[in-house]
Amino acid sequence: MNYNTEIRSEGFAIINDVFTEKEIENIIALIENNTANNQENATFRKSQDLFAIRQFHKEIPETLDFIFNENLKEIIESNFGKGYFITKSIYFDKPEKSNWFVAYHQDLTISVNQKIELENFENWTVKQNQFAVQPPTEILENNFTIRIHIDKTTKDNGALKVINNSHSKGILRIENLDFESEKETICEVEKGGVMIMKPLLFHASNKTTNNERRRVIHIEFSRQELPNGLEWSEKMTLN
C-alpha cells in the first residue's frame, strides 16, 4: 500500500477497504456508548450542525485497537516509516441536515502543553485550557493526517475538497492562490476507507445536501520532538 509518490506530489491519497464492516461497527458502538454516558464532557462540542469530540484517542481509547488494525499500521509504515505518534485527534459527526461548511484553509496549528515564547512559534491561542500554536513550517511539512471514514462520503454530504499540490507552496493566504490555474479534487471516500493528507494542503467542505450523515475520525501524526521543554499535549505513542 505505497502511496508515497501521490502524497508527495498531490498532498493527499484516498485508500478504500482499510476497515471491515465489523471493525467500523465496533468503533461506532464504542463511540455511541461513550457519548450516551458523557454528555457534559468538556471535550464534546454539540450543535445542530456538528457533534465533535476533541482528544478523541484519550476520550475513547478503546477504539484504538480497532483503528490501528494491520492495514492502517502497514499504510503508515510503508508511506512514512517508523517512529510516528499521535499528536491530535478529533471525531466529527455531521448530521443528515447539517448546514455546517468549512472554507478553504490549511491546518496551521499544533496542540501543546504550555505557552513558551520561542522563535518561529506564533499565533498562540488557548481554549478550554488547551494551548495551540503555529510552529515553524518544517514541522507542519513533516507531519501528516489520516481521516477514517465511518460513513460513505460524497460531494453531497460534505466530502473534503482540496487544491492539489497546494501543500508544496508553504504557508499561504488563500487569496494568493490562483484558483483559475489550480486543480480542485472532491475527495469521495467509501465507508471504511481513509484519506491521508498533509497539513498544508488547502482543504474545505460544503454543506450536506443529500440527507446522509458523515462521521470521520481525524488523527494527526508526527515523529518530531519540540524544542526547549515544549511538549505535544495529546502525544500518544503507537504500539
Side-chain angles (χ1 to χ4, degrees):
M1 291 189 181
N2 195 311
Y3 294 81
N4 211 357
T5 303
E6 192 176 337
I7 295 164
R8 270 206 314 270
S9 63
E10 302 298 319
F12 71 98
I14 293 166
I15 311 171
N16 286 313
D17 300 317
V18 176
F19 297 92
T20 65
E21 185 76 31
K22 184 63 178 173
E23 285 168 332
I24 293 295
E25 285 176 10
N26 286 329
I27 291 169
I28 290 170
L30 286 166
I31 292 169
E32 290 183 345
N33 182 56
N34 186 281
T35 53
N37 297 328
N38 292 286
Q39 286 299 319
E40 303 305 314
N41 196 311
T43 61
F44 290 12
R45 173 187 165 197
K46 188 170 181 63
S47 72
Q48 64 181 17
D49 289 321
L50 177 70
F51 174 64
I53 303 173
R54 298 188 178 280
Q55 301 190 28
F56 175 77
H57 63 290
K58 291 186 172 184
E59 290 294 341
I60 317 181
E62 303 87 350
T63 58
L64 295 177
D65 284 344
F66 297 108
I67 289 170
F68 289 94
N69 65 6
E70 289 307 313
N71 282 343
L72 193 69
K73 288 192 284 191
E74 201 275 326
I75 286 167
I76 292 171
E77 191 166 323
S78 63
N79 289 287
F80 301 100
K82 295 179 181 289
Y84 279 89
F85 47 83
I86 298 172
T87 62
K88 185 189 234 177
S89 67
I90 309 172
Y91 166 74
F92 294 107
D93 179 353
K94 195 173 182 179
E96 294 87 341
K97 298 185 183 300
S98 175
N99 284 318
W100 184 61
F101 72 95
V102 180
Y104 265 115
H105 66 285
Q106 297 171 299
D107 289 339
L108 297 180
T109 64
I110 60 173
S111 298
V112 294
N113 64 332
Q114 61 181 311
K115 183 175 181 179
I116 302 176
E117 295 294 347
L118 295 172
E119 187 177 359
N120 296 323
F121 282 77
E122 304 169 336
N123 302 323
W124 287 89
T125 59
V126 58
K127 292 179 185 174
Q128 297 172 329
N129 297 318
Q130 173 65 74
F131 292 94
V133 65
Q134 182 177 317
T137 307
E138 57 268 21
I139 288 180
L140 297 171
E141 287 174 336
N142 287 300
N143 291 353
F144 67 92
T145 297
I146 294 180
R147 293 169 58 89
I148 297 160
H149 288 253
I150 292 175
D151 300 297
K152 179 181 174 70
T153 304
T154 69
K155 62 180 174 51
D156 298 319
N157 70 336
L160 282 195
K161 302 181 296 183
V162 303
I163 303 297
N164 295 50
N165 193 39
S166 53
H167 69 299
S168 68
K169 305 175 192 294
I171 294 173
L172 275 181
R173 294 179 69 88
I174 187 67
E175 57 265 29
N176 293 333
L177 266 184
D178 178 11
F179 276 86
E180 293 300 316
S181 62
E182 300 291 347
K183 179 183 177 184
E184 180 182 76
T185 299
I186 297 174
C187 299
E188 298 189 318
V189 186
E190 295 294 327
K191 178 179 180 178
V194 305
M195 177 185 176
I196 301 172
M197 59 180 279
K198 301 294 286 179
L200 295 183
L201 184 76
F202 271 98
H203 56 287
S205 67
N206 289 340
K207 299 174 182 178
T208 298
T209 59
N210 66 350
N211 232 21
E212 290 184 5
R213 190 176 187 182
R214 176 174 70 100
R215 289 169 291 181
V216 173
I217 300 168
H218 168 114
I219 307 178
E220 299 178 13
F221 297 86
S222 184
R223 60 179 173 192
Q224 302 169 90
E225 295 305 325
L226 300 173
N228 294 23
L230 198 63
E231 300 282 350
W232 303 92
S233 65
E234 298 181 44
K235 181 177 179 179
M236 181 179 284
T237 304
L238 306 177
N239 294 328

